[in-house]
Amino acid sequence: MKITKFLSILLAFIMVLPIYYGCGNKGGEIDSTKTQLYVGNFNGGYGDIWLQKLKERFEETYKDECFEPGTDKKGVQIVIQNGKQTMEGPSLLDTMSVSQIEVFFTEGVEYQQFVAKNLFLDISDIVSEKLPGENKSILDKIDAGQKDYLNINDKYYGIPHYDSYRGIIYDWDLFNERGLFLQEGGGYTDANGALATGPSGIPNGYDAGLPATYQDFFDLCDYMMQQNITPISWSGEYLSTYTGYLLYGLYADCEGADSYNLLNNAGTISGKNSTKIITGFNGDEPILESITISLSNMEELAKQPGRYYSLKFLEEIVKNNWYSTLSSNSTQTQVAAQADFLYSKYQTDSPIAMLVEGQWWMEEASDTFRDMESLYGAEASKISRKFGYMPMPKISTDRLGKPTLIYDTNGSLCFINGNMTDQNKIKLAKEFLKFASTDQSLIEFTTLTGCTKCYNYDLGDEMDSLSYFSRSIYEVSSNSEFAYSYSPSYEVRNQIKEVTPRIKEYYTQIDDNVYNIPAQAFIFKNVNALDYFNGIKVK
Amino acid sequence: MSKKVILSQKVKDNIFYYSFFIVPLLVFTFGFVFINGNSILLAFKGYNNDATQSYWVGFKNFGDVIQGFISNPSIGTALRNSIKAYVVSTAVSMTIPVFFAYYIYKKLPGSSVFKVILFLPSIISSIISAVIFKYIGDRVLPDLMLRLFDIKMTGLFSDPGKIFNSMLFYCTWMGLGGGLLVQLGAMNAVDKSVVEAGLIDGIGFWGEFWHIVLPKTYQILTIGLILGFNTIFTSDIEIYAFYGLDASEEVKTLGYFFNEQTLKGTLVDYPFLAAWGLLITVLSVPVTFFLRHIIYKYGPQE
């Protein structure tokens, strides 16, 4: 009996132990001579190396400062807590109010929802203050669209974090070696030739030699096939997601910011509620009509021309078999697609020229780059191989010169926990946010991750330390406008939630069949873009 | 010794063991009673658009659910898929495990091999088996067809025209082990003397199956048939394990659709989903009891 009781207690203790270690403080040893600041980080594609460096510099800068008057504490200890699902917006909605974490760097945040629930601290005072060592404030570094998004009744509760967009990545080395850049006057050439003007309309600009229009892109793919090059690839397992990125990117760029954002704001922003819709077709040519959008007629957005043109673009790729075979295979993960793209140059007779991916893809493919370097030497390493981000081509030449509109989907933000009450700690948290927004911190983030922050800043000499792809991303980000995926108010979002998902996610009904993945319908069901477009409706 | 003293002594002796029940009781009270009670109340609530206030809406959410079933084509497709999945899985689970169990029960040649093959899916993690199955269906089979027969074949889990039937096959095969185990257990409980008497009377192999073994296992079969009705509304036939939230419309079942809406939804959407759950319960309970009544009244008796 006594042995049974002892064993029962022991078993119960063993079961409790993991809970203690799992839920205990993960930030390491606490230094009681310093003031702690708990920082949460969404540890996704960008990792946390940039935050570790930020922490080191901040702690060094403020090592002699006392943030708790009346105590002997001097200096700051930043305690970093990384997480993925636990640090994403939807999780934080339920846990933030009781979390000990004070400052967050994360994504997937429905900003207005969090503000409505008083989960964010008001940081209006710091966004207009000059940053440490600079003549600029945070507001000086963000664009009008971001200010519109973050300003709620003239107050700010969060600031942008990193850019997170997807699009077409191209193998610059392959383009150069096989002469795939568009030549001025027609034809194709290598990087040293006279390059044609790209979608930006800037002669010899950052996008020179890249397809400026849809037709340029199709002609290039055709040319590639003749050269036994596979034009484009994406993850087959996430066919819906990755071809969706391509569609949204084309759609947004075609429509422009104000027209595209009607999907999110339902025309509730004054002066920005008109758009054009397709009311019929004259052969293949859409017939357009102007319309004013409001909450009562949002379903008309199903007929925006950008949606049709994006479907036509994808249809052209599919019907001409310009995509890698495995891109229609559900076992092709995004990492496998990256590996196939990278290795194709060395291991196949038909190298892949382009890949649909996010701007963080090189971080995700780090292991693949390491393996390639060990197999093929330094020329195959991440820093040696050259890739570029291809701005979306325009539907026709009359659209050339309009800035690329990039559709940023991840809702990446920095904010302070609204449950903080200690004024000294609040002051510290605000100082940290300001420190993270200085040019030095922004540049450091880009040099360490290869990706850009959602701010206007000049890399200067640090450009030379970046990989070719990171430089390409920086140039594209600097020359583009951004559209964000979240509504101006949570109230509007909930009012349109019945409408938006169906038209946003390309739901269509053709006869009795419902489709939600255009690429799948094109590849396996021989559906064409026109029928797919005509079948998109809310009800 | 008085009853009170005896009772008090019993409690003292067992208090250590009673204390182990406190935690599971608390978990049950919270996890089942409180959460389900809250879900019932949620079905009659609505939230304002910024989800900061709730209010009573009567039966509005139930009306919305019924309207969704009538007019939403996605729900219509999901319902058709769910019914198909129920019919196929019931037909299979009422036949194949029985025959395999009888084969193993009779210890016929290769019965140990069958045991391993059919139990294996139940032992391996469902995510691992899903990955293996996906690779076989999308890579191995098309490759074999091309190499051996020069036939170009799209992947079973990539081609939307094949996905649903492939998922059905996978799900049914994964469930065979559990059914087999239960059937085998019932067959092993058959009285050996009855079998011997039957054999002496010359009933033979199939006669033993039909007259002695099957009636013994019939109740097990009927339980599956009765309880399986509810799976029309709850089963996602492992679609989530294969596709996460990226499944195409053509292959969704009601169970998957419900899970998807729950994972993608916010507080504002939950009252609709709570009403959905209640409505399904209200529908399933009488149908389940009716099925039970019919089967017990008209089915074969032992």
Side-chain angles (χ1 to χ4, degrees):
Chain A
M1 200 67 142
K2 279 189 181 167
I3 292 174
T4 312
K5 282 187 183 176
F6 171 75
L7 281 174
S8 304
I9 294 171
L10 182 66
L11 277 171
F13 179 69
I14 290 169
M15 283 174 66
V16 164
L17 259 181
I19 299 170
Y20 171 74
Y21 281 105
C23 300
N25 178 29
K26 298 184 192 70
E29 225 173 282
I30 298 297
D31 185 343
S32 55
T33 65
K34 299 182 181 173
T35 303
Q36 280 69 47
L37 182 69
Y38 291 88
V39 176
N41 174 46
F42 175 78
N43 198 14
Y46 299 126
D48 73 338
I49 184 77
W50 62 274
L51 188 55
Q52 297 289 349
K53 292 289 182 193
L54 188 68
K55 161 191 151 88
E56 284 168 18
R57 284 193 301 113
F58 187 80
E59 287 174 350
E60 178 60 27
T61 305
Y62 290 89
K63 65 181 179 201
D64 296 323
E65 182 124 352
C66 175
F67 282 94
E68 291 181 75
T71 68
D72 293 333
K73 291 186 179 182
K74 218 161 61 162
V76 178
Q77 182 187 17
I78 305 289
V79 181
I80 296 174
Q81 291 194 12
N82 288 315
K84 222 163 167 194
Q85 269 184 323
T86 52
M87 284 295 168
E88 253 187 320
S91 261
L92 289 178
L93 197 58
D94 296 324
T95 59
M96 246 186 91
S97 58
V98 295
S99 172
Q100 68 163 172
I101 299 174
E102 290 152 336
V103 178
F104 291 84
F105 294 88
T106 184
E107 62 174 51
V109 176
E110 184 92 41
Y111 179 65
Q112 288 77 14
Q113 184 182 16
F114 279 72
V115 172
K117 291 181 177 301
N118 298 318
L119 292 172
F120 289 175
L121 192 77
D122 181 354
I123 54 171
S124 307
D125 51 343
I126 64 166
V127 297
S128 42
E129 274 175 16
K130 298 292 177 219
L131 293 168
E134 294 180 14
N135 271 331
K136 288 182 282 186
S137 65
I138 291 172
L139 286 180
D140 291 333
K141 296 187 183 185
I142 63 178
D143 63 29
Q146 288 168 308
K147 286 177 197 166
D148 277 345
Y149 174 59
L150 296 169
N151 183 332
I152 297 180
N153 300 325
D154 294 327
K155 288 182 191 284
Y156 291 85
Y157 299 87
I159 57 175
H161 188 17
Y162 48 70
D163 288 329
S164 50
Y165 52 87
R166 293 90 166 171
I168 300 173
I169 314 299
Y170 68 98
D171 186 341
W172 189 95
D173 290 325
L174 187 71
F175 268 57
N176 186 38
E177 285 160 20
R178 302 288 282 267
L180 300 173
F181 290 107
L182 275 69
Q183 191 173 41
E184 183 78 40
Y188 301 93
T189 182
D190 62 21
N192 294 320
L195 301 178
T197 304
S200 66
I202 303 168
N204 299 314
Y206 68 95
D207 56 356
L210 297 177
T213 63
Y214 281 23
Q215 195 55 52
D216 286 344
F217 185 90
F218 300 150
D219 292 341
L220 177 61
C221 289
D222 208 29
Y223 180 68
M224 286 176 178
M225 291 291 280
Q226 292 167 25
Q227 310 299 312
N228 200 28
I229 295 170
T230 303
I232 196 164
S233 172
W234 53 72
S235 163
E237 183 173 4
Y238 302 107
L239 178 69
S240 155
T241 310
Y242 280 82
T243 55
Y245 297 159
L246 189 58
L247 290 169
Y248 299 144
L250 291 161
Y251 179 8
D253 187 54
C254 179
E255 288 293 328
D258 292 345
S259 184
Y260 182 77
N261 273 329
L262 291 170
L263 282 170
N264 299 312
N265 63 42
T268 53
I269 296 184
S270 166
K272 295 181 181 180
N273 58 358
S274 65
T275 186
K276 288 199 161 90
I277 58 169
I278 294 176
T279 53
F281 287 86
N282 189 359
D284 268 347
E285 272 309 302
I287 300 166
L288 301 177
E289 193 179 287
S290 291
I291 189 170
T292 301
I293 293 293
S294 65
L295 279 165
S296 62
N297 69 344
M298 269 203 77
E299 62 270 15
E300 299 292 344
L301 293 173
K303 301 301 177 192
Q304 282 183 303
R307 188 187 305 280
Y308 172 68
Y309 289 119
S310 65
L311 287 168
K312 281 295 289 179
F313 188 95
L314 185 62
E315 182 196 27
E316 207 65 25
I317 292 175
V318 168
K319 84 175 184 210
N320 289 295
N321 289 311
W322 288 335
Y323 61 99
S324 163
T325 321
L326 285 174
S327 293
S328 59
N329 192 298
S330 72
T331 57
Q332 173 82 328
T333 62
Q334 83 276 27
V335 175
Q338 291 160 6
D340 286 349
F341 173 62
L342 291 169
Y343 276 106
S344 67
K345 178 180 166 174
Y346 299 103
Q347 294 184 351
T348 70
D349 296 327
S350 182
I352 302 171
M354 296 176 281
L355 176 71
V356 178
E357 253 297 351
Q359 59 179 137
W360 54 82
W361 78 282
M362 288 187 85
E363 295 303 312
E364 263 187 346
S366 294
D367 288 344
T368 306
F369 276 111
R370 253 193 304 277
D371 292 342
M372 276 199 321
E373 192 177 351
S374 63
L375 277 172
Y376 303 109
E379 61 150 48
S381 68
K382 190 155 86 172
I383 200 70
S384 299
R385 284 195 67 176
K386 291 180 176 174
F387 300 94
Y389 182 90
M390 182 182 286
M392 292 295 173
K394 307 295 185 192
I395 55 168
S396 57
T397 50
D398 58 332
R399 301 283 188 110
L400 294 180
K402 292 196 175 180
T404 297
L405 180 72
I406 292 178
Y407 175 52
D408 191 309
T409 55
N410 277 5
S412 180
L413 287 177
C414 323
F415 43 86
I416 298 175
N417 199 329
N419 70 2
M420 289 183 79
T421 51
D422 183 339
Q423 292 304 315
N424 296 318
K425 293 291 289 289
I426 288 174
K427 180 184 167 196
L428 171 59
K430 287 181 176 178
E431 284 303 316
F432 186 67
L433 263 195
K434 281 166 58 180
F435 190 85
S437 307
T438 58
D439 279 354
Q440 185 180 5
S441 299
L442 301 178
I443 291 168
E444 186 178 63
F445 178 90
T446 300
T447 52
L448 288 171
T449 64
C451 297
T452 47
K453 287 273 251 178
C454 277
Y455 295 85
N456 299 316
Y457 57 104
D458 185 3
L459 281 177
D461 294 335
E462 295 293 342
M463 277 281 268
D464 297 332
S465 68
L466 297 181
S467 68
Y468 191 89
F469 180 70
S470 299
R471 272 181 269 158
S472 172
I473 284 287
Y474 177 77
E475 279 169 342
V476 168
S477 295
S478 305
N479 288 283
S480 300
E481 291 177 349
F482 282 79
Y484 300 95
S485 60
Y486 294 106
S487 300
S489 79
Y490 195 58
E491 185 169 342
V492 169
R493 187 256 186 213
N494 276 322
Q495 283 182 286
I496 64 176
K497 65 180 169 57
E498 287 301 315
V499 175
T500 313
R502 296 194 71 77
I503 53 177
K504 226 177 180 177
E505 294 174 24
Y506 288 81
Y507 273 74
T508 194
Q509 186 173 356
I510 302 170
D511 300 322
D512 291 329
N513 300 307
V514 178
Y515 304 105
N516 62 328
I517 305 174
Q520 206 172 53
F522 294 160
I523 293 171
F524 295 106
K525 297 291 190 177
N526 293 320
V527 171
N528 63 50
L530 184 61
D531 287 342
Y532 199 103
F533 176 78
N534 282 330
I536 296 176
K537 47 186 165 242
V538 176
K539 292 182 176 113
Chain B
M1 238 192 240
S2 71
K3 275 187 185 169
K4 261 193 188 167
V5 172
I6 294 168
L7 197 59
S8 163
Q9 190 57 46
K10 267 192 177 166
V11 168
K12 272 189 191 164
D13 287 343
N14 295 318
I15 197 160
F16 172 77
Y17 302 104
Y18 293 154
S19 66
F20 273 78
F21 281 103
I22 292 173
V23 171
L25 260 178
L26 282 173
V27 170
F28 172 78
T29 307
F30 179 78
F32 188 82
V33 176
F34 176 74
I35 286 179
N36 283 313
N38 190 49
S39 294
I40 292 171
L41 292 176
L42 197 57
F44 296 94
K45 282 185 187 177
Y47 280 90
N48 66 344
N49 286 319
D50 63 8
T52 51
Q53 284 177 357
S54 64
Y55 42 86
W56 299 106
V57 296
F59 289 92
K60 179 188 174 295
N61 291 321
F62 295 93
D64 290 344
V65 172
I66 293 169
Q67 183 62 34
F69 269 90
I70 294 168
S71 62
N72 187 332
S74 301
I75 296 180
T77 305
L79 180 61
R80 279 195 300 275
N81 287 341
S82 296
I83 292 171
K84 186 177 173 184
Y86 169 67
V87 168
V88 169
S89 61
T90 303
V92 168
S93 64
M94 287 187 74
T95 51
I96 294 177
V98 176
F99 289 111
F100 273 116
Y102 187 61
Y103 191 95
I104 295 169
Y105 163 73
K106 295 299 286 179
K107 294 185 174 57
L108 294 173
S111 55
S112 308
V113 174
F114 280 125
K115 238 196 229 179
V116 170
I117 291 171
L118 290 169
F119 280 145
L120 206 57
S122 309
I123 300 166
I124 300 172
S125 151
S126 62
I127 295 294
I128 292 174
S129 54
V131 170
I132 294 171
F133 222 83
K134 220 175 170 184
Y135 268 82
I136 290 173
D138 266 7
R139 300 256 195 161
V140 175
L141 268 178
D143 199 44
L144 278 175
M145 291 297 281
L146 190 65
R147 283 172 198 253
L148 296 177
F149 306 109
D150 202 27
I151 295 172
K152 255 188 162 180
M153 179 186 142
T154 51
L156 295 179
F157 296 99
S158 301
D159 185 342
K162 294 175 182 159
I163 292 174
F164 183 74
N165 291 333
S166 304
M167 293 300 310
L168 210 52
F169 175 81
Y170 169 79
C171 202
T172 309
W173 179 62
M174 291 291 286
L176 282 179
L180 176 72
L181 191 69
V182 169
Q183 293 290 335
L184 195 56
M187 288 179 188
N188 286 328
V190 168
D191 192 345
K192 297 282 181 271
S193 59
V194 173
V195 174
E196 281 168 12
L199 288 173
I200 289 169
D201 289 342
I203 56 169
F205 180 86
W206 288 111
E208 181 190 344
F209 172 76
W210 188 253
H211 294 290
I212 299 174
V213 174
L214 188 59
K216 191 76 181 173
T217 63
Y218 180 70
Q219 289 236 343
I220 310 286
L221 289 175
T222 57
I223 288 170
L225 182 66
I226 294 164
L227 294 179
F229 179 77
N230 199 42
T231 63
I232 291 178
F233 305 103
T234 57
S235 172
D236 79 337
I237 61 167
E238 304 293 332
I239 296 172
Y240 188 81
F242 275 70
Y243 299 101
L245 293 174
D246 286 338
S248 64
E249 282 294 297
E250 297 162 84
V251 308
K252 292 180 185 176
T253 60
L254 285 179
Y256 178 87
F257 186 87
F258 183 81
N259 291 341
E260 183 195 30
Q261 297 301 308
T262 308
L263 288 168
K264 284 182 175 174
T266 65
L267 196 51
V268 178
D269 306 303
Y270 290 162
F272 174 88
L273 296 167
W276 172 302
L278 266 187
L279 209 54
I280 282 165
T281 308
V282 163
L283 181 66
S284 311
V285 166
V287 172
T288 303
F289 276 105
F290 175 71
L291 267 177
R292 180 178 176 273
H293 168 73
I294 296 293
I295 287 165
Y296 284 173
K297 190 168 180 184
Y298 299 109
Q301 310 294 326
E302 252 186 281

